Amino acid sequence: PTDPSAPATDLYGEGSRKYRRTVYTHDQWVKHRSPDRFVNNLSTLFNSGIYKNVGKEVVFTTSVAIFVWAWNLLVGGYQDLSGVAHDPIIQGEWAKIVGLPLQAFTTVSPSLGLLLAFRTNSSYKRWDEARKFWGLNINHTRDLNRMATAWYGNEGDPWDGTEFMGAPSSKAQAIDPAERQYLLGQISLMTWAFVRSMKRHLSPPDEDEDDYIAEMKSRLSPE
């Protein structure tokens, strides 16, 4: 969004999805393969939408880690770069070192890794299945228009040429080319409207509603 006063979720969160690119072009691939991509990624790290989206969690976790490090340094002593050990700055019975046992992390790490891998694979599988179904839907609409164009009013002979129960078929009625073109255009338009309506049904209302209404009004007549 161009409005700087928009909510944070619209600037770099879920609301910004409609402003993201939908096609990865050749120019993006060239930039992706550039030897300078590592430097470019680091330079734009703090402008990343993902970073801003999880910035509060990152700041909180980092703050807790810094606090624990500083507290243990003050109450447990420290060793400088020369290898000289120094006594604790804060001393007392209440001044205890803060820490967690490593056994808990060692125990749950394999299970956590399997869980994350399973969730990632399941998410990708759902996305890939949805993509295949969407492509299949587009192919069916193309087949429908192709069959309508091939079979409706496209007889090369005034007779159908087929027989049913030994009786010749009736003579095919001539179809006005202008009417045929209009009706085939309506079929094409209706199949487009079906696919476009399905896209709208699968998208959030705030993301696609206005564009959907404008496109439908511009292409479909009130009748």
Coordinates of all heavy atoms in Angstrom, one line a residue, residues 70-132:
A70 N 23.9 -11.7 30.6 CA 24.4 -10.6 31.5 C 24.3 -11.0 33.0 O 25.2 -10.8 33.8 CB 23.7 -9.3 31.2
W71 N 23.2 -11.6 33.4 CA 22.9 -12.0 34.7 C 23.9 -13.1 35.2 O 24.5 -13.0 36.3 CB 21.5 -12.5 34.9 CG 21.2 -13.0 36.3 CD1 21.2 -14.4 36.7 CD2 21.0 -12.3 37.5 NE1 20.9 -14.5 38.0 CE2 20.8 -13.2 38.5 CE3 20.9 -10.9 37.7 CZ2 20.5 -12.8 39.8 CZ3 20.6 -10.5 39.0 CH2 20.4 -11.4 40.1
N72 N 24.1 -14.1 34.4 CA 25.1 -15.1 34.7 C 26.5 -14.6 34.8 O 27.3 -15.1 35.6 CB 25.0 -16.3 33.7 CG 23.7 -17.1 33.8 OD1 23.1 -17.0 34.9 ND2 23.4 -17.8 32.8
L73 N 26.8 -13.6 34.0 CA 28.1 -13.0 34.0 C 28.3 -12.2 35.3 O 29.4 -12.2 35.9 CB 28.3 -12.0 32.8 CG 29.6 -11.3 32.6 CD1 29.9 -11.2 31.1 CD2 29.6 -9.9 33.2
L74 N 27.3 -11.6 35.8 CA 27.4 -10.8 37.0 C 27.4 -11.6 38.3 O 28.2 -11.3 39.2 CB 26.2 -9.8 37.1 CG 26.2 -8.7 36.0 CD1 24.9 -7.9 36.2 CD2 27.4 -7.8 36.1
V75 N 26.7 -12.7 38.3 CA 26.6 -13.5 39.5 C 27.5 -14.7 39.5 O 27.7 -15.4 40.6 CB 25.1 -13.9 39.8 CG1 24.2 -12.7 39.9 CG2 24.7 -14.9 38.7
G76 N 28.0 -15.1 38.3 CA 28.8 -16.3 38.2 C 30.2 -16.1 37.9 O 31.0 -17.0 37.8
G77 N 30.6 -14.8 37.6 CA 31.9 -14.5 37.2 C 32.1 -14.7 35.7 O 31.2 -15.2 35.0
Y78 N 33.2 -14.3 35.2 CA 33.5 -14.4 33.8 C 34.9 -14.5 33.5 O 35.8 -14.3 34.4 CB 32.9 -13.2 33.0 CG 33.6 -11.9 33.4 CD1 34.6 -11.3 32.7 CD2 33.2 -11.2 34.6 CE1 35.2 -10.2 33.0 CE2 33.8 -10.0 34.9 CZ 34.8 -9.5 34.1 OH 35.5 -8.3 34.5
Q79 N 35.3 -14.9 32.3 CA 36.6 -15.1 31.8 C 36.9 -14.1 30.7 O 36.1 -14.2 29.7 CB 36.9 -16.5 31.4 CG 38.3 -16.8 31.1 CD 38.6 -18.3 30.8 OE1 37.6 -19.1 30.9 NE2 39.8 -18.6 30.4
D80 N 37.9 -13.3 30.8 CA 38.1 -12.3 29.7 C 38.9 -13.0 28.5 O 39.1 -14.2 28.5 CB 38.9 -11.1 30.2 CG 40.3 -11.5 30.8 OD1 40.8 -12.7 30.5 OD2 40.8 -10.8 31.6
L81 N 39.2 -12.2 27.5 CA 39.8 -12.7 26.3 C 41.2 -13.2 26.6 O 41.7 -14.0 25.8 CB 39.8 -11.6 25.2 CG 38.4 -11.1 24.8 CD1 38.6 -10.0 23.7 CD2 37.6 -12.2 24.2
S82 N 41.8 -12.8 27.6 CA 43.2 -13.2 28.0 C 43.2 -14.5 28.7 O 44.2 -15.1 29.1 CB 43.9 -12.2 28.8 OG 44.0 -11.0 28.0
G83 N 42.0 -15.0 29.1 CA 41.9 -16.3 29.8 C 41.9 -16.1 31.3 O 42.0 -17.1 32.0
V84 N 41.9 -14.9 31.8 CA 41.9 -14.6 33.2 C 40.5 -14.7 33.8 O 39.6 -14.0 33.2 CB 42.5 -13.2 33.5 CG1 42.5 -12.9 35.0 CG2 43.9 -13.2 33.0
A85 N 40.3 -15.4 34.8 CA 38.9 -15.6 35.4 C 38.7 -14.5 36.5 O 39.6 -14.1 37.2 CB 38.8 -16.9 36.1
H86 N 37.6 -13.9 36.5 CA 37.2 -12.8 37.4 C 36.1 -13.3 38.3 O 35.2 -14.1 37.9 CB 36.8 -11.6 36.6 CG 37.9 -11.0 35.8 ND1 38.7 -10.0 36.2 CD2 38.2 -11.3 34.5 CE1 39.6 -9.7 35.2 NE2 39.3 -10.5 34.2
D87 N 36.1 -12.7 39.5 CA 35.1 -13.1 40.5 C 33.7 -12.4 40.1 O 33.7 -11.5 39.4 CB 35.5 -12.6 41.9 CG 36.7 -13.4 42.4 OD1 36.9 -14.5 42.0 OD2 37.5 -12.8 43.2
P88 N 32.7 -13.0 40.7 CA 31.3 -12.4 40.4 C 31.3 -11.0 40.9 O 31.8 -10.7 42.0 CB 30.4 -13.4 41.1 CG 31.1 -14.6 41.3 CD 32.6 -14.3 41.4
I89 N 30.6 -10.2 40.2 CA 30.4 -8.8 40.6 C 29.3 -8.7 41.7 O 29.4 -8.0 42.7 CB 30.0 -7.9 39.4 CG1 31.2 -7.9 38.4 CG2 29.7 -6.5 39.8 CD1 30.9 -7.2 37.1
I90 N 28.2 -9.5 41.5 CA 27.1 -9.5 42.5 C 27.2 -10.9 43.2 O 27.2 -11.9 42.7 CB 25.8 -9.5 41.8 CG1 25.6 -8.2 41.0 CG2 24.6 -9.6 42.8 CD1 24.3 -8.0 40.2
Q91 N 27.4 -10.7 44.5 CA 27.5 -11.9 45.4 C 26.4 -11.9 46.4 O 26.0 -10.9 46.9 CB 28.9 -11.9 46.1 CG 30.1 -12.0 45.1 CD 31.4 -12.0 45.8 OE1 31.5 -11.9 47.0 NE2 32.5 -12.0 45.0
G92 N 25.9 -13.1 46.8 CA 24.9 -13.3 47.7 C 24.2 -14.6 47.6 O 24.3 -15.3 46.5
E93 N 23.5 -15.0 48.6 CA 22.8 -16.3 48.5 C 21.7 -16.3 47.5 O 21.3 -17.3 47.0 CB 22.3 -16.7 49.9 CG 23.3 -16.9 51.0 CD 22.7 -17.3 52.3 OE1 21.5 -17.3 52.4 OE2 23.5 -17.6 53.3
W94 N 21.1 -15.1 47.3 CA 20.0 -15.1 46.3 C 20.5 -14.9 44.9 O 19.7 -15.1 43.9 CB 19.2 -13.8 46.6 CG 20.0 -12.6 46.7 CD1 20.6 -12.0 47.8 CD2 20.3 -11.7 45.6 NE1 21.3 -10.9 47.5 CE2 21.1 -10.6 46.1 CE3 19.9 -11.7 44.3 CZ2 21.6 -9.6 45.3 CZ3 20.4 -10.6 43.5 CH2 21.2 -9.6 44.0
A95 N 21.8 -14.7 44.7 CA 22.3 -14.5 43.4 C 22.7 -15.9 42.8 O 23.8 -16.4 43.1 CB 23.5 -13.6 43.4
K96 N 21.8 -16.4 42.1 CA 22.1 -17.8 41.5 C 22.1 -17.7 40.0 O 21.5 -16.8 39.3 CB 20.9 -18.7 41.9 CG 20.7 -18.9 43.4 CD 21.9 -19.5 44.1 CE 21.6 -19.7 45.5 NZ 22.7 -20.4 46.2
I97 N 22.9 -18.6 39.4 CA 23.0 -18.6 37.9 C 21.8 -19.2 37.4 O 21.2 -20.2 37.9 CB 24.2 -19.5 37.6 CG1 25.5 -18.8 38.0 CG2 24.3 -19.7 36.0 CD1 26.8 -19.6 37.7
V98 N 21.3 -18.6 36.3 CA 20.1 -19.0 35.6 C 20.4 -19.9 34.4 O 21.3 -19.6 33.6 CB 19.2 -17.8 35.1 CG1 18.0 -18.3 34.4 CG2 18.9 -16.9 36.3
G99 N 19.7 -21.0 34.3 CA 20.0 -21.9 33.2 C 19.0 -23.0 33.1 O 18.2 -23.3 34.0
L100 N 19.0 -23.7 32.0 CA 18.2 -24.9 31.7 C 19.0 -26.1 31.4 O 20.1 -26.0 30.7 CB 17.2 -24.6 30.6 CG 16.1 -23.5 30.8 CD1 15.4 -23.3 29.5 CD2 15.2 -23.9 31.9
P101 N 18.6 -27.3 31.8 CA 19.4 -28.5 31.5 C 19.3 -28.8 30.0 O 18.3 -28.6 29.4 CB 18.7 -29.6 32.4 CG 17.3 -29.1 32.6 CD 17.4 -27.6 32.7
L102 N 20.4 -29.3 29.5 CA 20.4 -29.6 28.1 C 19.7 -30.9 27.7 O 19.4 -31.2 26.6 CB 21.9 -29.7 27.6 CG 22.7 -28.4 27.6 CD1 24.1 -28.7 27.2 CD2 22.1 -27.4 26.7
Q103 N 19.4 -31.7 28.7 CA 18.8 -33.0 28.5 C 17.4 -32.8 27.8 O 17.1 -33.6 27.0 CB 18.7 -33.8 29.8 CG 20.0 -34.4 30.3 CD 20.8 -33.3 31.1 OE1 20.3 -32.2 31.2 NE2 21.9 -33.7 31.6
A104 N 16.7 -31.8 28.3 CA 15.4 -31.6 27.7 C 15.4 -31.3 26.2 O 14.7 -31.8 25.4 CB 14.7 -30.5 28.5
F105 N 16.4 -30.4 25.8 CA 16.5 -30.1 24.4 C 17.0 -31.2 23.6 O 16.6 -31.5 22.5 CB 17.4 -28.9 24.3 CG 17.0 -27.6 25.0 CD1 17.4 -27.3 26.2 CD2 16.0 -26.8 24.4 CE1 17.0 -26.2 26.9 CE2 15.6 -25.7 25.0 CZ 16.0 -25.4 26.2
T106 N 17.9 -32.0 24.2 CA 18.5 -33.2 23.5 C 17.4 -34.2 23.2 O 17.4 -34.9 22.2 CB 19.6 -33.8 24.3 OG1 20.6 -32.8 24.5 CG2 20.3 -34.9 23.5
T107 N 16.5 -34.3 24.2 CA 15.5 -35.4 24.1 C 14.4 -35.0 23.1 O 14.0 -35.9 22.3 CB 14.8 -35.6 25.5 OG1 15.8 -35.9 26.4 CG2 13.7 -36.7 25.4
V108 N 14.0 -33.8 23.0 CA 12.9 -33.4 22.2 C 13.3 -33.0 20.8 O 12.5 -32.8 19.9 CB 12.1 -32.2 22.8 CG1 11.5 -32.6 24.1 CG2 12.9 -30.9 22.9
S109 N 14.6 -32.8 20.6 CA 15.1 -32.3 19.2 C 14.7 -33.3 18.1 O 14.2 -32.8 17.1 CB 16.6 -32.1 19.3 OG 17.0 -31.0 20.1
P110 N 14.9 -34.6 18.2 CA 14.5 -35.5 17.1 C 13.0 -35.4 16.8 O 12.6 -35.4 15.7 CB 15.0 -36.9 17.6 CG 16.0 -36.6 18.6 CD 15.6 -35.4 19.3
S111 N 12.2 -35.4 17.9 CA 10.8 -35.4 17.7 C 10.4 -34.1 17.1 O 9.5 -34.0 16.2 CB 10.1 -35.6 19.0 OG 10.4 -36.8 19.6
L112 N 11.0 -33.0 17.5 CA 10.7 -31.7 16.9 C 11.1 -31.6 15.5 O 10.3 -31.0 14.6 CB 11.4 -30.6 17.7 CG 11.1 -29.1 17.3 CD1 9.6 -28.8 17.5 CD2 11.9 -28.2 18.1
G113 N 12.2 -32.2 15.1 CA 12.6 -32.2 13.7 C 11.7 -33.0 12.8 O 11.3 -32.5 11.7
L114 N 11.2 -34.1 13.3 CA 10.3 -34.9 12.6 C 8.9 -34.2 12.4 O 8.3 -34.2 11.4 CB 10.1 -36.3 13.2 CG 11.3 -37.2 13.2 CD1 10.9 -38.5 14.0 CD2 11.6 -37.6 11.8
L115 N 8.5 -33.5 13.5 CA 7.2 -32.8 13.4 C 7.3 -31.7 12.4 O 6.4 -31.5 11.6 CB 6.9 -32.3 14.8 CG 5.6 -31.4 14.9 CD1 4.4 -32.3 14.6 CD2 5.5 -30.9 16.3
L116 N 8.4 -30.9 12.4 CA 8.5 -29.8 11.5 C 8.6 -30.3 10.1 O 8.0 -29.7 9.2 CB 9.7 -29.0 11.8 CG 9.7 -28.2 13.2 CD1 11.0 -27.5 13.4 CD2 8.6 -27.2 13.2
A117 N 9.3 -31.4 9.8 CA 9.4 -32.0 8.5 C 8.0 -32.5 8.0 O 7.7 -32.3 6.9 CB 10.4 -33.1 8.5
F118 N 7.3 -33.1 8.9 CA 6.0 -33.6 8.6 C 5.0 -32.5 8.2 O 4.3 -32.6 7.2 CB 5.4 -34.5 9.7 CG 4.0 -34.9 9.5 CD1 3.8 -36.0 8.7 CD2 3.0 -34.3 10.2 CE1 2.5 -36.4 8.4 CE2 1.7 -34.8 10.0 CZ 1.4 -35.8 9.1
R119 N 5.0 -31.4 9.0 CA 4.2 -30.3 8.8 C 4.5 -29.6 7.5 O 3.6 -29.2 6.7 CB 4.2 -29.3 9.9 CG 3.5 -29.8 11.2 CD 3.7 -28.8 12.3 NE 3.0 -27.5 12.0 CZ 1.8 -27.2 12.1 NH1 1.0 -28.1 12.6 NH2 1.3 -26.1 11.8
T120 N 5.8 -29.5 7.2 CA 6.3 -28.8 6.0 C 5.8 -29.7 4.8 O 5.3 -29.1 3.8 CB 7.8 -28.7 6.0 OG1 8.2 -27.9 7.1 CG2 8.2 -28.0 4.7
N121 N 6.0 -31.0 4.8 CA 5.6 -31.8 3.7 C 4.1 -31.8 3.5 O 3.6 -31.8 2.4 CB 6.1 -33.3 4.0 CG 7.6 -33.4 3.9 OD1 8.3 -32.5 3.3 ND2 8.2 -34.4 4.6
S122 N 3.4 -31.8 4.6 CA 1.9 -31.8 4.5 C 1.4 -30.5 3.9 O 0.5 -30.5 3.0 CB 1.3 -32.0 5.9 OG 1.6 -33.3 6.4
S123 N 2.0 -29.4 4.3 CA 1.6 -28.1 3.7 C 1.9 -28.0 2.2 O 1.1 -27.6 1.4 CB 2.4 -27.0 4.5 OG 2.1 -27.0 5.8
Y124 N 3.1 -28.5 1.8 CA 3.5 -28.5 0.4 C 2.5 -29.4 -0.4 O 2.2 -29.1 -1.5 CB 4.9 -28.9 0.2 CG 5.3 -28.9 -1.2 CD1 5.6 -27.8 -2.0 CD2 5.4 -30.2 -1.9 CE1 5.9 -27.8 -3.3 CE2 5.7 -30.2 -3.2 CZ 6.0 -29.0 -3.9 OH 6.3 -29.1 -5.3
K125 N 2.2 -30.6 0.2 CA 1.3 -31.5 -0.5 C -0.1 -30.9 -0.7 O -0.6 -31.0 -1.8 CB 1.2 -32.8 0.3 CG 0.4 -33.9 -0.3 CD 0.3 -35.1 0.5 CE -0.5 -36.2 -0.2 NZ -0.6 -37.4 0.6
R126 N -0.6 -30.2 0.3 CA -1.9 -29.5 0.1 C -1.8 -28.4 -0.9 O -2.7 -28.3 -1.8 CB -2.4 -28.9 1.4 CG -2.8 -29.9 2.5 CD -3.5 -29.3 3.6 NE -2.7 -28.4 4.3 CZ -2.0 -28.6 5.4 NH1 -2.0 -29.9 5.9 NH2 -1.3 -27.7 6.0
W127 N -0.7 -27.7 -0.9 CA -0.6 -26.6 -2.0 C -0.4 -27.2 -3.4 O -1.1 -26.7 -4.3 CB 0.7 -25.8 -1.6 CG 1.0 -24.8 -2.7 CD1 0.5 -23.5 -2.9 CD2 1.9 -25.0 -3.8 NE1 1.1 -22.9 -4.0 CE2 1.9 -23.8 -4.6 CE3 2.7 -26.1 -4.2 CZ2 2.7 -23.7 -5.7 CZ3 3.5 -25.9 -5.4 CH2 3.5 -24.7 -6.1
D128 N 0.3 -28.3 -3.5 CA 0.5 -28.9 -4.8 C -0.8 -29.5 -5.3 O -1.1 -29.4 -6.5 CB 1.6 -30.0 -4.7 CG 2.0 -30.5 -6.0 OD1 2.4 -29.8 -6.9 OD2 1.8 -31.8 -6.2
E129 N -1.5 -30.1 -4.4 CA -2.8 -30.7 -4.8 C -3.8 -29.6 -5.2 O -4.5 -29.8 -6.2 CB -3.4 -31.5 -3.6 CG -4.7 -32.3 -4.0 CD -5.2 -33.1 -2.8 OE1 -4.6 -33.0 -1.7 OE2 -6.2 -33.8 -3.0
A130 N -3.8 -28.5 -4.5 CA -4.7 -27.4 -4.9 C -4.3 -26.8 -6.3 O -5.1 -26.5 -7.2 CB -4.7 -26.3 -3.9
R131 N -3.0 -26.7 -6.5 CA -2.5 -26.2 -7.8 C -2.9 -27.2 -9.0 O -3.3 -26.7 -10.0 CB -1.0 -26.1 -7.8 CG -0.3 -25.5 -9.0 CD 1.2 -25.5 -8.9 NE 1.7 -26.9 -8.8 CZ 2.0 -27.7 -9.8 NH1 1.7 -27.3 -11.1 NH2 2.5 -28.9 -9.6
K132 N -2.8 -28.5 -8.7 CA -3.2 -29.4 -9.8 C -4.7 -29.4 -10.1 O -5.1 -29.4 -11.2 CB -2.8 -30.9 -9.3 CG -1.3 -31.1 -9.3 CD -1.0 -32.5 -8.8 CE 0.5 -32.7 -8.8 NZ 0.9 -34.1 -8.2

